Amino acid sequence: MKITTASAPGKLILFGEHAVIYGYPCIGIAISKRISATVQQAARDKIITPSVVKSPFVEEALKYFRQKYKVVGQVLITTNGDFSHHVGLGSSSAVTVAVIKALSQFFNIKLSSREVFDISYKIVLSIQKVGSGFDVAVAAYGGALYFKNGGGVIEQLSISQLPLIIGYSGTKADTATIVKKISQEYKKNTRFAPIFSSIGNIVDTAKNTLVEGNFEKAGKLMTENHRLLQELGVSTKKLNEMVEAAISAGAYGGKLSGAGGGDCMIALVERDKQNSVMAAIQKVGGEIVSAL
Ligand code: MEV
């Protein structure tokens, strides 16, 4: 019996969240944690998603794929993840991309990374209604990306492995709600445009800094980016405490990563200081998700 399996990584935004929605670039990386999807022949279509009760992303991916490619034959799709959908590391996009890749292999339809992105972005957008598509791009391409809204630019960056610590704030953020709230306020409030523009400048500087491998400067840029996200009003007391604790314990810099309102922060830390920075983050109540 034919069985195909594909997987896709979760993501971290290093620079440029929110501003990316308004035409500025962002930079992020794939993490080693992945979600996999297995497709096999079945008497009738069935979806098994052990970590969630129901996955609209998997359902929509199967429906969309069937309609687009007119494939015949019923399938069982099973997903598995090595990270939780609670921490805001892009599980919805990763599961969508993994399912599309596994279906394309099962039905022998060759898709480029760009095609996987375009299809998966449509599916994710049909459910979430908002979003730049950055999470989807990282899931489809992997590695480090310089990205513009909707995939207007998807540039793969050649950067060395960053020594990062990921800390979870303990609260799950609702990305779509925060993105919608900021977009409503942006229409009314003139103070938002210069914040986005400053974030855009940081992203472009950070691109060269990361390619050069200058971690000290990259860390400082992260902290500047965090201050601007604070001004935007998307950070939380806990995220701020975690970032400050990491910097005080010797990190080059840190910031919230993602929409804010909870989820994760990141800190750029030389390996010899990782233990003390992790301890400092835990001391203020953060949970270490990973140390890269
Ligand atoms: C969320 O991970 C990042 C945001 O910029 C939203 C998006 O890019 O879709 C806040």
Side-chain angles (χ1 to χ4, degrees), residues 46 59 62 100 124 142 161 244 250 259 287:
K46 192 172 177 200
E59 286 170 15
L62 177 59
I100 291 299
V124 170
Q161 164 88 50
E244 297 312 326
E287 189 186 308

Side-chain angles (χ1 to χ4, degrees), residues 11 13 16-21 26 88 90 121 128 130-135 147 149 175 178-179 257-260 263:
K11 65 87 196 48
I13 297 204
E17 46 274 271
H18 287 289
V20 65
I21 303 271
C26 75
Y121 183 41
Q128 289 180 341
V130 289
S132 65
F134 175 74
D135 305 22
F147 176 91
N149 199 8
T175 300
I178 298 171
V179 169
S257 178
D263 286 346

Side-chain angles (χ1 to χ4, degrees), residues 164-286:
L164 285 170
I165 288 172
I166 310 172
Y168 179 56
S169 66
T171 316
K172 168 134 185 67
D174 180 350
T175 300
T177 304
I178 298 171
V179 169
K180 279 182 209 148
K181 183 171 166 270
I182 293 293
S183 118
Q184 276 156 11
E185 287 179 20
Y186 172 72
K187 286 181 202 135
K188 294 183 279 182
N189 198 329
T190 52
R191 85 185 171 86
F192 281 72
I195 297 178
F196 292 141
S197 159
S198 301
I199 292 178
N201 290 336
I202 289 177
V203 176
D204 280 321
T205 311
K207 185 184 179 192
N208 297 327
T209 307
L210 290 172
V211 172
E212 285 160 10
N214 186 341
F215 294 158
E216 191 172 347
K217 189 167 169 199
K220 287 203 170 81
L221 291 167
M222 275 185 184
T223 308
E224 265 181 59
N225 193 158
H226 183 71
R227 304 271 176 256
L228 290 161
L229 291 165
Q230 281 179 299
E231 269 186 55
L232 203 59
V234 295
S235 194
T236 64
K237 186 169 170 282
K238 183 70 159 289
L239 284 166
N240 295 338
E241 283 168 359
M242 291 165 74
V243 169
E244 297 312 326
I247 295 169
S248 302
Y252 288 132
K255 62 184 277 294
L256 69 84
S257 178
D263 286 346
C264 288
M265 54 72 74
I266 51 174
L268 189 59
V269 191
E270 270 314 343
R271 297 234 149 69
D272 59 347
K273 294 196 178 132
Q274 286 205 335
N275 283 342
S276 42
V277 170
M278 285 194 283
I281 291 172
Q282 283 167 328
K283 201 166 170 205
V284 294

Side-chain angles (χ1 to χ4, degrees), residues 36-91:
S36 69
T38 298
V39 175
Q40 63 196 88
Q41 221 175 313
R44 60 181 178 84
D45 279 344
K46 192 172 177 200
I47 290 168
I48 301 177
T49 51
S51 54
V52 286
V53 178
K54 203 170 180 297
S55 174
F57 296 94
V58 180
E59 286 170 15
E60 194 56 31
L62 177 59
K63 194 171 127 205
Y64 186 92
F65 194 89
R66 268 201 189 295
Q67 275 167 4
K68 186 167 172 71
Y69 296 106
K70 314 272 179 276
V71 290
V72 181
Q74 311 291 297
V75 289
L76 164 64
I77 301 179
T78 313
T79 63
N80 259 301
D82 50 22
F83 64 101
S84 156
H85 63 283
H86 290 298
V87 290
L89 295 174
S91 62

